[in-house]
């Protein structure tokens, strides 16, 4: 009898386990996780954003009209057209990813680039509203080429700031478009308080920032220095970096101590960042981040253009600085042709904002940036 009861208990346990497995909800995520192109034709890792994928192929790839990308999706999700379907990537293509439970779907635009020379002048006239968390919208800057096509989307950390409940309109985010530029509009970057949420997370401020690259929102809270992916492919030889800025530091400079408290530092004044950096991409360094973007010991950095005399000013300040190669570095023509180099323009309202040090209210306005290049044999 005892043996029968034990066996019965085991059966009931197995039935309960089966019931739990059966009742487990289906996955509601519908994301592209990774992309691959058959053959050794990718020049670097795909750039996967919230609703866009950019595949950068080698310059000698000719059959863009029959490429068949293969997608890795969140578990259980499906994609239409199917992974591995040949499509004409002379033009951007649209894919729809549907969650395993069938309740959610997302459209991705997938485009292929090669020999992608970005615009060399930036006036910050083009902006669109992007939906963020907490029912908010923020400004996203982008550039248009002479052919009328979009050539560059500027990245910022606005999407992470939405989590703080401190923004209600685009102009209350750290980075937004404003009137009063040198000509027309300008980019305005402000160091904001992240309020009670930021205090709990020991991240009391968000410095307005704008850069060439992408922002990884998944790392924004836990590993913020790794959230900024600086760099976009570049096929020219930079000679100088110029433009206009005006800057007003916030009233009280503070640093975050070991306990996460935002502590005033008497006598210290906030300062902004605005610079250009060029680097070589390698398998282990596809982009730069907050840890290494200006590191003196970073072997991948080819050169920089940094403003030597940054200062506060209520009026527009014109600057022009040369691009300077780092000691022992040179630009290899073959690597340039093959898209091995990347460049980024980086700006921030508080130069130490990525370490959560700065002054609330520090405001940097930037306009009419220009990267002057010398002729290459590309």
């Amino acid at each position: 009898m005892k043996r029968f009861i034990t066996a019965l208990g085991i059966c009931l346990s197995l039935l309960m386990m089966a019931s739990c497995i059966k009742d487990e909800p289906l996955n509601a995520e519908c994301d592209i996780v990774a992309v691959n192109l058959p053959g050794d034709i990718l020049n670097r890792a795909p750039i996967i954003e919230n609703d866009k994928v950019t595949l950068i192929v080698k310059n000698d790839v000719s059959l863009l009209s029959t490429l068949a990308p293969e997608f890795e999706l969140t578990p259980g999700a499906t994609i239409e057209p199917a992974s591995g379907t040949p499509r004409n990537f002379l033009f951007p293509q649209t894919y729809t990813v549907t969650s395993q439970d069938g309740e959610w779907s997302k459209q991705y635009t997938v485009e292929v680039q090669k020999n992608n020379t970005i615009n060399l002048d930036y006036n910050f006239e083009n902006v669109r509203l992007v939906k963020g968390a907490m029912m908010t919208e923020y400004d996203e800057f982008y550039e248009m080429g002479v052919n009328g096509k979009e050539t560059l989307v500027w990245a910022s950390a606005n999407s992470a700031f939405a989590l703080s409940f401190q923004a209600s309109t685009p102009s209350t985010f750290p980075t937004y478009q404003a009137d009063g530029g040198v000509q027309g509009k300008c980019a305005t970057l402000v160091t904001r308080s992240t309020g009670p949420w930021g205090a709990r997370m020991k991240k009391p401020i968000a410095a307005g920032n704008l850069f060439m690259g992408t922002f990884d929102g998944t790392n924004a809270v836990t590993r913020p220095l790794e959230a900024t992916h600086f760099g976009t492919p570049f096929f020219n030889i930079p000679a100088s970096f110029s433009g206009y800025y005006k800057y007003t530091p916030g009233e009280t400079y503070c640093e975050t101590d070991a306990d996460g408290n935002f502590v005033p530092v008497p006598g210290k004044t906030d300062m902004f960042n605005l610079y250009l950096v060029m680097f070589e991409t390698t398998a282990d360094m596809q982009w730069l981040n907050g840890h290494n973007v200006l590191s003196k010991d970073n072997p991948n950095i080819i050169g920089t253009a940094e403003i030597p005399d940054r200062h506060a000013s209520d009026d527009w300040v014109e600057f022009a600085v040369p691009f300077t190669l780092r000691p022992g570095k040179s630009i290899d023509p073959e690597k340039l042709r093959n898209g091995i180099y990347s460049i980024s323009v980086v700006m921030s309202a508080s130069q130490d904002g990525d370490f959560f040090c700065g002054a609330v209210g520090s405001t940097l306005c930037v306009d009419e940036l220009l990267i002057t290049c010398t002729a290459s044999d590309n």
Side-chain angles (χ1 to χ4, degrees):
M1 183 69 175
K2 182 177 180 181
R3 193 179 306 165
F4 172 76
I5 294 173
T6 303
L8 179 62
I10 293 173
C11 290
L12 288 173
S13 297
L14 290 173
L15 285 171
M16 290 175 65
M17 289 176 63
S19 176
C20 289
I21 294 172
K22 182 179 179 181
D23 293 338
E24 184 178 346
L26 298 175
N27 199 327
E29 295 181 352
C30 49
D31 299 311
I32 292 176
V33 176
V35 190
N36 183 49
L37 283 173
D40 185 25
I41 66 173
L42 280 172
N43 191 52
R44 61 184 63 191
I47 301 171
I48 303 175
E49 301 174 74
N50 181 54
D51 58 0
K52 180 180 178 181
V53 176
T54 304
L55 304 173
I56 303 171
V57 299
K58 296 178 180 178
N59 286 348
D60 58 1
V61 176
S62 57
L63 298 177
L64 297 186
S65 60
T66 58
L67 292 181
E70 299 168 347
F71 299 94
E72 179 184 339
L73 311 173
T74 45
T78 57
I79 190 167
E80 178 65 33
S83 180
T85 301
R87 303 190 76 186
N88 182 4
F89 281 95
L90 292 171
F91 308 95
Q93 297 294 322
T94 299
Y95 289 81
T96 300
V97 180
T98 302
S99 61
Q100 184 182 33
D101 65 7
E103 296 294 323
W104 305 95
S105 65
K106 182 193 294 186
Q107 279 199 338
Y108 281 87
T109 299
V110 181
E111 65 176 43
V112 174
Q113 296 178 357
K114 66 173 180 176
N115 210 21
N116 178 35
T117 300
I118 60 176
N119 275 15
L120 301 182
D121 58 285
Y122 313 96
N123 53 30
F124 305 106
E125 298 296 323
N126 300 311
V127 71
R128 60 180 161 237
L129 290 177
V130 175
K131 293 187 182 298
M134 313 308 170
M135 304 298 290
T136 56
E137 292 183 322
Y138 58 85
D139 285 342
E140 181 180 71
F141 290 91
Y142 63 95
E143 302 295 333
M144 300 295 292
V146 294
N147 59 1
K149 294 183 178 180
E150 189 177 291
T151 58
L152 173 72
V153 178
W154 290 87
S156 78
N158 275 346
S159 60
F161 184 75
L163 301 174
S164 71
F165 293 93
Q166 299 300 298
S168 56
T169 63
S171 62
T172 58
F173 275 84
T175 301
Y176 63 97
Q177 186 188 60
D179 296 324
V182 176
Q183 296 182 34
K185 309 284 189 178
C186 66
T188 299
L189 289 64
V190 182
T191 298
R192 308 276 194 193
S193 167
T194 52
W197 176 86
R200 289 195 303 272
M201 303 300 295
K202 298 184 178 181
K203 294 169 176 58
I205 61 170
N209 66 350
L210 202 62
F211 59 93
M212 293 176 181
T214 57
F215 182 75
D216 178 10
T218 60
N219 282 326
V221 176
T222 56
R223 296 189 298 275
L225 291 176
E226 298 173 26
T228 45
H229 294 177
F230 301 114
T232 192
F234 201 69
F235 297 84
N236 298 282
I237 301 174
S240 64
F241 177 48
S242 58
Y244 295 83
Y245 73 83
K246 55 183 178 180
Y247 184 65
T248 302
E251 184 175 343
T252 305
Y253 185 93
C254 298
E255 293 181 350
T256 305
D257 65 15
D259 296 322
N261 300 310
F262 204 41
V263 181
V265 182
K268 190 165 185 177
T269 303
D270 207 359
M271 183 50 62
F272 68 94
N273 253 343
L274 176 57
Y275 60 87
L276 176 151
V277 58
M278 185 176 187
F279 62 99
E280 179 178 343
T281 61
T282 54
D284 61 346
M285 196 176 292
Q286 295 282 316
W287 54 75
L288 304 180
N289 60 36
H291 290 292
N292 59 23
V293 64
L294 283 180
S295 299
K296 297 299 182 184
D297 60 350
N298 186 340
N300 288 52
I301 295 179
I302 302 299
T304 61
E306 302 177 63
I307 303 172
D309 57 348
R310 293 168 292 150
H311 58 274
S313 174
D314 293 331
D315 300 316
W316 287 106
V317 176
E318 185 176 8
F319 71 91
V321 292
F323 174 77
T324 304
L325 291 169
R326 288 204 166 174
K329 295 294 184 178
S330 61
I331 296 175
D332 184 304
E334 183 175 355
K335 290 181 178 179
L336 194 69
R337 285 193 301 272
N338 291 331
I340 303 301
Y341 295 118
S342 280
I343 200 168
S344 187
V345 170
V346 181
M347 56 193 93
S348 174
S350 296
Q351 64 179 3
D352 295 320
D354 46 358
F355 294 97
F356 304 100
C357 301
V360 173
S362 291
T363 303
L364 171 66
C365 298
V366 177
D367 202 11
E368 304 300 325
L369 297 184
L370 175 68
I371 303 173
T372 302
C373 298
T374 60
S376 69
D377 59 356
N378 189 36

